[in-house]
């Protein structure tokens, strides 16, 4: 059967990665020396599922590797291993190897076979039943994925196209029916292999009074004329092995198909046999095998069965190996002990919940998993929208002035529906930040052992949701900040003890909502930022004048300066080309901000503020001439009417406005856009003080209009990128309005006026001033 | 056409199973763990149950044991999905009342053959 597997395969990858992430976080929580059955069991299941799935897609190498890891985990959950740090590290390494193998199958990573083999050898070395795995499992060889059936015994000559007569003695134990097996099904399968004659043996039927309806008292002698090999017949009886006496004997062999005698002649004493019906239906139909399921009363069984005692064929032809297969209930002890082994206590540990979390893997075909509740809310909302629509429809059909109230109600309802629908749709894009946080336990674990530091990581607010795109783009900056905190923040254990601090450093990641934004805090209790060093560097680089006195906050801001951050952060861990300036740039690109608070000897806290979503913003509509532009409400600090006496015109055409103690450059937007304005007199318009890229600027506009939620339409995908404009939207009246990108406008402004170079002193003071966010 | 319950904690495995069975005109219901499977089995009358061994909350073997205790499932075929080739494990499966097992990995044909074997169609 041909099934399109690509979809299932994609699902397999997603699921496997999720499982591996879970496994990783469980491993990191695992304490040395403990043994929690449920925890090891949940790790086991991850590897088990990967192995199972990989088998379907014939990812043999993954199957082989997973099998070894699975065997080890199986031993662990059976209590054969005590959890050691080595074991945890080994399993973590296995997680990496499996990720790499899956990644290479997707064509995203390269497979380093040496690593796979090294890890596999290490795993094998730990295995208790090392020997067993080599002998019993064919999967260890990289080529073979578990063959489902045992290979045919080599001693049996493989003669195709020749018929053999098999005699099968089948005597089920009374309990056979209790496993849901039905001899009738077995006979049907057999009849698919060739001609089958069935004789029933009713000798063991007890008296009706003693008869237990659920027991099987019958035995059968079967003769099969078929080209099938022994193992094919054995396979049919595979599921009832141990629940029956079974003897399979070869009575005659190598009868060429061409001169195959009729089955009745070959079947010895059995006279009931008939050739198969033309439609290929099994011959057993003629032997009146009674249905054996409990629904049929057993006395009927006795009545319809032919009273015939079978005479098994004599002189069975035997082949040298052992074609006589007797399967007995040999290991009763296994039966007795095994259920205890199987019952794994499901401890109500918190770890059970871990299956819900998982880290996100953004593959090219990026998809999003949405909770059913969100979808349900959406459907609900659409339902209401339909109701509103039909209501408005009714109003519209016979409209007169009397119905204006109804119309107004309907419109209000429509507005509410639309808003709710919009919110619900936006919620689909929202993912818990836990997706991003979950990678940090591993990072901290690896990094701290690499650095010889002791660090405890605390995550909180993992359920805080934010936009998928924001989440993805925040990933790298967060990693950088965590690395920094470990590398530069938290001190070595000895240093910490000397400073009177606990030996184990504390690193906290915290996320929460605050007034329409997401705040992510990364705090450590390390050494804090060395302001003297920062100041020294800044002076060396000529960023500030040596005589300038900066506030502490201004000093901290300096670490975000491009030249500086890389200069102070040289260590073996850094130097990956990402400095604090890049972190800040990435966050700003998302419309967010970052600042830092630090105390010498006590630690540092980085605060990241991000917008909830990128697709909608709270906008302020402003009018310039006849055009309407939109400013992000978040970027606006204040709007004011200009008092001409605070306006200073500097050399050239640049103007600055003295606002309290700051000098803020004025940008006349009508000039920048080259459009006619209602007024060119500053005191007749308004000055909107905005901040972008850490700098403030006063935008001169004609008028402030309403504030509203703006759905951002990409300009790039519809037109092309324009500096100073971040997108566009469609207003209520159908007009298109451009959304201004404040940071871009500030850049444009500097470019135009060349302000920076000519008035360095003023810009540097205003530059520093803007840093107090 | 039969009414089949499949129980596996792996989504891809469930998808694969349900897809294959649906192609063969069976009606399929899915459970993500043993408890859920048991609950569904109580509410519906399935002709066949196919379950994974390793599952959260209630593992496959315990599920079989629980199902066999329900009047409606005393003689219903129940197949285990397993990667184990160990005879001891097979014995365990039988002792709790499983009808048979399907070795993972399997291909669609093999799955359908096993289903045919217990359902007769």
């Amino acid at each position: 059967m041909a099934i399109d597997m690509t979809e299932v395969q994609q699902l397999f990858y997603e699921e496997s990665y999720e499982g591996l992430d879970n496994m990783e976080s469980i491993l990191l929580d695992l304490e040395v020396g403990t043994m929690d059955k449920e925890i090891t069991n949940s790790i086991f299941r991850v590897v088990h599922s990967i192995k199972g799935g990989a088998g379907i897609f014939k990812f043999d190498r993954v199957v082989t590797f997973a099998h070894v890891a699975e065997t080890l985990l199986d031993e662990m959950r059976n209590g054969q291993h005590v959890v050691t740090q080595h074991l945890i590290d080994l399993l973590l390494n296995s997680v990496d190897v499996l990720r790499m193998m899956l990644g290479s199958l997707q064509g995203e990573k390269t497979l380093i076979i040496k690593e796979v083999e090294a890890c596999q050898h290490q795993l094998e070395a730990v295995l208790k039943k090392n020997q067993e795995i080599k002998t019993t499992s064919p999967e260890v060889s990289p080529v073979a994925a578990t063959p489902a059936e045992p290979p045919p015994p080599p001693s049996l000559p493989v003669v195709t196209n020749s018929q053999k007569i098999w005699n099968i003695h089948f005597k089920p134990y009374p309990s056979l029916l209790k496993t849901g097996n039905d001899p009738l099904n077995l006979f049907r399968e057999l009849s698919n292999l060739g001609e089958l004659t069935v004789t029933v043996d009713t000798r063991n039927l007890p008296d009706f009074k003693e008869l237990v309806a659920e027991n099987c008292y019958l035995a059968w002698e079967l003769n099969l004329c078929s080209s099938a090999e022994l193992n094919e017949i054995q396979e049919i009886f595979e599921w009832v092995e141990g629940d029956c006496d079974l003897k399979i004997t070869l009575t005659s062999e190598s009868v060429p198909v061409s001169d195959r005698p009729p089955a009745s002649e070959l079947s010895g004493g059995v006279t009931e046999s008939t050739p198969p019906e033309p439609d290929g239906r099994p011959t057993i139909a003629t032997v009146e095998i009674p249905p054996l399921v409990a629904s049929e009363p057993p006395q009927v069984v006795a009545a319809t069965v032919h009273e015939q005692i079978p005479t098994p064929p004599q002189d069975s032809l035997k082949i040298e190996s052992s074609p006589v297969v007797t399967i007995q209930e040999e290991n009763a002890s296994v039966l007795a002990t095994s259920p205890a082994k199987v019952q794994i206590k499901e401890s109500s540990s918190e770890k059970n919940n871990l299956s819900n979390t998982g880290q996100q893997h953004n593959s090219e075909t990026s998809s999003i998993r949405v909770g059913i509740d969100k979808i349900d809310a959406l459907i609900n909302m659409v339902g209401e929208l339909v109701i509103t629509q039909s209501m408005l429809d009714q109003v519209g059909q016979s409209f007169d002035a009397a119905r204006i109230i109804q119309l107004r109600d309907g419109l209000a309802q429509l507005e509410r529906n639309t808003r709710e629908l919009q919110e619900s749709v936006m919620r689909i894009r929202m993912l818990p930040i836990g997706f991003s946080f979950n990678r940090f336990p591993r990072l901290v674990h690896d990094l701290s052992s690499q650095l010889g530091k002791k660090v405890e990581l605390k995550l909180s607010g993992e359920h805080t949701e934010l936009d998928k795109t924001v989440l993805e783009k925040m990933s790298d900056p967060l990693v950088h900040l965590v690395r920094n905190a470990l590398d530069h923040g938290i001190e070595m254990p000895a240093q910490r003890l000397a400073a009177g601090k606990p030996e184990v450093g504390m690193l906290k990641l915290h996320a929460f909502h605050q007034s329409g934004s997401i705040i992510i805090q990364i705090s450590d209790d390390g050494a804090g930022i060395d302001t003297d060093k920062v100041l020294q560097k800044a002076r060396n680089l000529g960023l500030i004048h040596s005589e300038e006195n900066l506030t502490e906050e201004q000093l901290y801001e300096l670490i975000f300066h491009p030249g500086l951050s890389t200069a102070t952060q040289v260590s073996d861990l850094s130097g990956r080309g990402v400095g604090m300036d890049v972190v800040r740039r990435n966050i700003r690109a998302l419309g967010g901000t970052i600042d830092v608070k630090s105390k010498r000897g006590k630690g540092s806290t980085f605060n990241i503020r991000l917008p909830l979503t990128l697709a909608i913003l709270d906008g302020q509509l402003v009018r310039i001439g006849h055009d309407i532009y939109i400013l992000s409400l978040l970027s606006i600090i204040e709007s004011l009417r200009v008092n001409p006496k605070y306006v200073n015109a500097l050399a050239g055409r640049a103007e600055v406005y003295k606002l309290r103690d700051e000098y803020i450059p004025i940008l006349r937007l009508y000039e920048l856009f080259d459009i006619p304005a209602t007024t060119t007199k500053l005191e007749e318009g308004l000055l909107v003080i905005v901040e972008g890229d850490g700098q403030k600027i006063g935008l001169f506009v004609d008028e402030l209009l309403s504030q509203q939620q703006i759905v951002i339409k990409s300009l790039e995908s519809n037109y092309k990128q324009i500096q100073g404009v971040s997108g566009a939207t469609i207003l209520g009246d159908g007009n298109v309005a451009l959304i201004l990108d404040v940071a871009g406008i500030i850049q444009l402004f500097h470019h135009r006026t060349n302000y920076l170079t000519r008035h360095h002193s003023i810009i540097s003071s205003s530059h520093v001033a803007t840093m107090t966010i | 056409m039969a009414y089949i319950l499949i129980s596996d904690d792996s989504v891809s495995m469930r998808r694969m199973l349900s897809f294959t069975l649906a192609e063969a005109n069976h009606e399929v219901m899915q459970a993500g763990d043993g408890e859920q499977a048991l609950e569904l089995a109580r509410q519906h009358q399935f002709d066949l149950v196919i379950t994974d061994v390793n599952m959260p909350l209630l593992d496959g073997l315990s599920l079989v044991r629980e199902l066999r205790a329900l009047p409606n499932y005393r003689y219903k075929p129940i197949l285990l999905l397993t990667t184990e080739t160990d005879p001891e494990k097979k014995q365990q499966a039988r002792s709790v009342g499983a009808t048979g097992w399907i070795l993972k990995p399997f291909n669609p044909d093999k799955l359908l053959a096993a289903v045919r074997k217990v359902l007769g169609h």
Side-chain angles (χ1 to χ4, degrees), chain A residues 285-300:
Chain A
T286 63
V287 200
E288 289 188 72
I289 297 292
L292 288 159
V293 283
S295 55
E296 292 282 336
Q299 55 268 40
V300 180

Side-chain angles (χ1 to χ4, degrees), chain A residues 7 15 179 181 214 241, chain B residues 11-12 15 74-75 94 99:
Chain A
E7 189 208 4
E15 189 175 36
T179 57
N181 274 298
E214 294 158 7
E241 278 175 28
Chain B
V11 185
S12 46
R15 181 71 65 93
R74 285 178 78 176
Y75 302 102
R94 254 200 306 269
T99 307

Side-chain angles (χ1 to χ4, degrees), chain A residues 136 138 144-153 230-236 238 241, chain B residues 84-85 90 101-107 109-111 113 117:
Chain A
T136 61
T146 345
E149 57 269 290
L230 177 63
N231 64 295
E232 287 178 65
I233 300 171
Q234 278 177 299
E235 201 189 327
I236 288 175
E238 190 191 7
E241 278 175 28
Chain B
E84 313 279 358
T85 42
K90 292 181 180 174
W101 49 85
I102 302 167
L103 279 180
K104 287 197 274 190
F106 53 84
N107 59 39
D109 293 330
K110 205 164 272 171
L111 170 73
K117 191 168 166 183

Side-chain angles (χ1 to χ4, degrees), chain A residues 1 3 5 7-8 11-12 15 44-45 48-49 51-52 55-56 70 77 146 148-149 177-181 185 188-189 214 235-236 238-239 241 243 294 329 334-335 338 341-343 346, chain B residues 9-13 15-16 19-20 23 52 54-57 59 61 65 68 74-75 79 83 85 88 90-92 94-95 97-101 103-105 109-110 112 114 117-118 120:
Chain A
M1 172 186 293
I3 286 181
M5 288 295 218
E7 189 208 4
V8 185
L11 209 63
F12 163 72
E15 189 175 36
F44 174 86
R45 280 198 302 268
H48 178 79
S49 291
K51 181 178 135 184
I56 291 174
E70 187 196 49
R77 66 175 181 169
T146 345
E149 57 269 290
L177 303 177
K178 289 180 182 160
T179 57
N181 274 298
N185 286 334
R188 190 189 316 102
E189 291 291 315
E214 294 158 7
E235 201 189 327
I236 288 175
E238 190 191 7
W239 292 345
E241 278 175 28
D243 282 328
E329 187 101 30
V334 172
L335 194 82
S338 49
K341 219 174 172 184
V342 183
Q343 273 181 326
E346 300 278 343
Chain B
D9 56 334
S10 152
V11 185
S12 46
M13 191 59 81
R15 181 71 65 93
M16 159 97 186
F19 196 85
T20 309
E23 287 280 293
D52 189 23
N54 293 290
M55 287 184 300
L57 297 175
D59 67 84
L61 293 175
R65 204 179 287 123
R68 286 286 180 234
R74 285 178 78 176
Y75 302 102
L79 297 177
T83 53
T85 42
E88 196 184 307
K90 292 181 180 174
Q91 188 50 50
Q92 278 181 6
R94 254 200 306 269
S95 69
T99 307
W101 49 85
L103 279 180
K104 287 197 274 190
D109 293 330
K110 205 164 272 171
L112 293 177
K117 191 168 166 183
V118 290

Side-chain angles (χ1 to χ4, degrees), chain A residues 454 491-493 496-497 499-506 525:
Chain A
K454 292 189 177 169
E491 316 92 326
M492 298 298 285
R496 290 184 61 90
L497 286 173
K501 291 202 256 189
E503 191 186 18
V504 179
M506 178 68 77
D525 66 346

Side-chain angles (χ1 to χ4, degrees), chain A residues 168-179 181-184 186-187 199-202 204-205 214-222 237 239-247 292 327-329:
Chain A
I168 302 161
H169 169 72
F170 176 50
K171 183 171 183 288
Y173 296 152
S175 60
L176 178 103
L177 303 177
K178 289 180 182 160
T179 57
N181 274 298
D182 186 340
L184 191 57
L186 300 175
F187 301 160
T199 315
V200 71
D201 175 359
T202 55
N204 290 329
L205 267 180
E214 294 158 7
N215 285 355
C216 177
Y217 298 103
L218 304 174
W220 287 271
E221 291 297 329
L222 308 158
F237 286 99
W239 292 345
V240 292
E241 278 175 28
D243 282 328
C244 65
D245 285 337
L246 183 68
K247 273 198 190 88
L292 288 159
I327 298 142
Q328 295 279 11
E329 187 101 30

Side-chain angles (χ1 to χ4, degrees), chain A residues 551-579:
Chain A
T551 66
E552 203 151 315
E553 278 175 340
Q554 288 167 346
L555 276 168
Y556 296 143
E557 282 298 319
L558 284 170
I559 67 165
F560 294 110
H561 196 279
L564 193 120
S565 62
T566 44
T568 50
Q569 319 228 341
V570 175
S571 86
D572 52 338
L573 271 176
S574 305
R576 287 162 303 104
V578 184

